[in-house]
Amino acid sequence: MLTQTHAPAHAATPRGHTVLHPVRLPLTRTHLRAVNPVARKDNCENCRLHAVCVPDGLDAGERDEFIGLVFQHKRFAVGERLYRAGEAFTHLYFVKTGAFKSVMMLHDGREQITGFHLAGDMLGIDAIGDSAHPSEAVAIEEAWVCAVPYQSLMQLSRRAEPVQSYVQNLLSRELVRDQGVMLLLGRMQAEERVAVFLINLAQRFKTRGQSPNEFILPMVREDIGNYLGLTLETVSRCLSRLKKAGLIEVNNRQLRILDHAGLEQVIGAGQNHD
Amino acid sequence: MLTQTHAPAHAATPRGHTVLHPVRLPLTRTHLRAVNPVARKDNCENCRLHAVCVPDGLDAGERDEFIGLVFQHKRFAVGERLYRAGEAFTHLYFVKTGAFKSVMMLHDGREQITGFHLAGDMLGIDAIGDSAHPSEAVAIEEAWVCAVPYQSLMQLSRRAEPVQSYVQNLLSRELVRDQGVMLLLGRMQAEERVAVFLINLAQRFKTRGQSPNEFILPMVREDIGNYLGLTLETVSRCLSRLKKAGLIEVNNRQLRILDHAGLEQVIGAGQNHD
DNA sequence: CGCTATCTTGAGTAGCGTCAAGTCATGTGG
DNA sequence: CCACATGACTTGACGCTACTCAAGATAGCG
């Protein structure tokens, strides 16, 4: 299982990003700090993600109310946890920068990564039903998050219909996503799974305004394998095969998609078509 | 506002591939029929599932309002579909008797069963996010369902907090369940998957007031296999092995759990404990 | 009573996991 | 600045689990 202790604090941003605070840890978790309302509002309005995080269709007052709920942000080093399994549920979280993985754990130590969360994604919604987090969220890149107190959000959603459907839709879409993963895990072969993974990742980068055809994989091979129900070796072999087939270029974390259509044709090539 | 649930009325083979299920058709779909309010109320109050379907914590008026939303019920024969993938989303459904499976389909014909729905379970929540059903729901036993118009439910949930958290919790718990299946599909071996499946099924029968240790499997081996990411042969072999080990008795659909603790120990026996 | 769907069991095989060795990139300490 | 340590990745050899194909048993239903 993953050692929970210090991620090597040198902020392992694989890309050449300048690391702002190469803080050496003991990683004490400070609490999320509220900032004053004006600063809050500024932070959301100026945040390039506000179109993603803030619900559409609110009038000015409601919008301010929503933004007023958002607690400003906290930094997480690679390997740090936003919450742990079993922890009480109080807030929903937005990833502002960086990336997390959600991990579900079995008592015998086995772990399954159930999702990766990039900038703009929400975290913690699976905890609503039992008021406790069933999984844990681990930063896989240096990350900053914002937090929204769930109870307040629910109160607001009773007054503002857009907030209500916003939350419902988030939950429901996550359901559909998970069902897609079930399809992948249950019915697809290794190479297909990797292809689907790359295509999805590309799509997500695209909606974030980044290049869909050239990006840095935010996670290590082992995490990809875990997510896809494979070993890291199999992931590596599949990537090599896709490379040899001329569909992608890959060098460690650096990935380029050369033939998007070809990648999509990998899905369903030579399968047990029920 | 009710009778507009038009289903594409014939059970055509979606994209040309053969129908696997023993459907003796023609399965004409009649529409959901409303009954008068009094009858509606009677139907929920007298329904032995009302503790399951009707949210707790409502005052008398709200409770009547909720029940007033419930459209009375429609019968489905084995193989009939409650909704199809792509169909517009208008209602949530409760299984009153019988059972359904949710099936996610891939363009190439592969299918993944993402869940089984027994009496008291809700169906259709994965359609909220996109106002269309991403999966289809097929009756695996003769079944009766009730329907709740989603928009009306949302309106009510803005006035009645218990309804709001009721829906949120349903969605969130379903997320957790799906993540558990991802864990199963990604990290467990065949025999473990079958054991988990039986234990879960037993638990669900128990909460329904039925015997957890002796029941009839509502689905065929192929469906179990599909759900668990296995072939029907592998499911059969696993059941035989569990039988030989003295943990269960099994005769076709008839199943008896002889050693519940032993079944639980199958999970995690000799695994790649990361 | 016979048809068909369902289930069981066996034999052979393939895909992926396991184990192992080796390369490469990055960071560290001398 | 260099030697070294470490983590990430790749590639190969081998083995096992679960899939495929096949045959036969059983049960349900008209």
Side-chain angles (χ1 to χ4, degrees), chain A residues 13-26:
Chain A
T13 73
R15 54 197 96 183
H17 265 193
T18 38
V19 178
L20 295 179
H21 305 291
V23 187
R24 168 55 98 176
L25 313 135

Side-chain angles (χ1 to χ4, degrees), chain A residues 2-270:
Chain A
L2 277 172
T3 59
Q4 100 284 26
T5 34
H6 27 278
H10 50 69
T13 73
R15 54 197 96 183
H17 265 193
T18 38
V19 178
L20 295 179
H21 305 291
V23 187
R24 168 55 98 176
L25 313 135
L27 303 177
T28 52
R29 269 193 77 186
T30 54
H31 291 107
L32 292 158
R33 285 177 303 258
V35 292
N36 69 62
V38 176
R40 282 186 200 169
K41 173 164 176 178
D42 276 357
N43 267 310
C44 272
E45 296 291 1
N46 296 334
C47 178
R48 60 192 185 85
L49 291 171
H50 73 270
V52 180
C53 302
V54 182
D56 266 345
L58 296 175
D59 65 39
E62 293 166 341
R63 190 181 160 86
D64 283 350
E65 244 184 298
F66 180 92
I67 292 175
L69 293 178
V70 180
F71 280 61
Q72 278 309 318
H73 33 272
K74 183 184 179 312
R75 177 185 171 275
F76 290 85
V78 174
E80 275 191 290
R81 281 156 179 74
L82 174 53
Y83 48 75
R84 291 162 188 277
E87 226 171 87
F89 167 64
T90 54
H91 292 72
L92 295 175
Y93 304 96
F94 289 105
V95 181
K96 195 176 167 72
T97 68
F100 285 84
K101 60 180 174 184
S102 279
V103 187
M104 197 131 218
M105 330 215 3
L106 210 56
H107 20 272
D108 61 17
R110 280 180 284 183
E111 302 181 351
Q112 172 72 31
I113 296 176
T114 55
F116 296 106
H117 310 269
L118 312 181
D121 288 339
M122 194 179 250
L123 270 161
I125 47 178
D126 55 351
I128 294 173
D130 294 322
S131 304
H133 291 280
S135 55
E136 59 180 47
V138 185
I140 55 175
E141 287 181 338
E142 173 172 335
W144 292 84
V145 299
C146 304
V148 184
Y150 178 67
Q151 283 310 328
S152 313
L153 186 66
M154 284 302 94
Q155 280 171 24
L156 176 57
S157 87
R158 259 171 269 146
R159 278 174 286 124
E161 191 276 331
V163 176
Q164 184 191 37
S165 46
Y166 169 78
V167 177
Q168 303 271 335
N169 290 351
L170 266 171
L171 279 160
S172 179
R173 292 209 188 101
E174 186 66 16
L175 262 181
V176 177
R177 196 194 62 79
D178 284 359
Q179 290 175 5
V181 176
M182 288 169 66
L183 177 58
L184 178 145
L185 291 173
R187 305 252 80 79
M188 288 191 190
Q189 304 209 313
E191 204 165 315
E192 295 183 280
R193 298 188 197 187
V194 173
V196 168
F197 177 73
L198 294 180
I199 289 168
N200 284 351
L201 209 51
Q203 177 57 40
R204 292 171 75 183
F205 281 120
K206 190 176 180 184
T207 60
R208 278 162 181 76
Q210 301 176 242
S211 165
N213 292 323
E214 189 165 6
F215 49 85
I216 309 276
L217 292 168
M219 68 295 283
V220 297
R221 296 286 186 276
E222 184 173 1
D223 283 349
I224 298 176
N226 185 301
Y227 179 64
L228 298 177
L230 303 170
T231 59
L232 68 97
E233 292 96 330
T234 300
V235 173
S236 181
R237 274 186 258 268
C238 288
L239 288 173
S240 297
R241 245 177 288 153
L242 294 174
K243 183 181 186 177
K244 202 166 289 177
L247 303 179
I248 62 172
E249 267 179 27
V250 55
N251 260 311
N252 291 321
R253 302 282 191 99
Q254 178 70 43
L255 197 128
R256 179 181 301 181
I257 295 178
L258 300 174
D259 183 355
H260 194 280
L263 255 193
E264 281 182 335
Q265 281 168 13
V266 169
I267 305 162

Side-chain angles (χ1 to χ4, degrees), chain B residues 242-261:
Chain B
L242 295 174
K243 183 181 184 176
K244 203 166 287 177
L247 303 179
I248 62 171
E249 268 177 29
V250 57
N251 260 309
N252 291 320
R253 302 281 192 100
Q254 178 70 44
L255 197 129
R256 179 182 300 180
I257 295 178
L258 299 174
D259 183 355
H260 194 280

Side-chain angles (χ1 to χ4, degrees), chain B residues 233-246:
Chain B
E233 293 97 328
T234 300
V235 172
S236 181
R237 275 187 255 269
C238 287
L239 288 174
S240 297
R241 245 178 287 152
L242 295 174
K243 183 181 184 176
K244 203 166 287 177

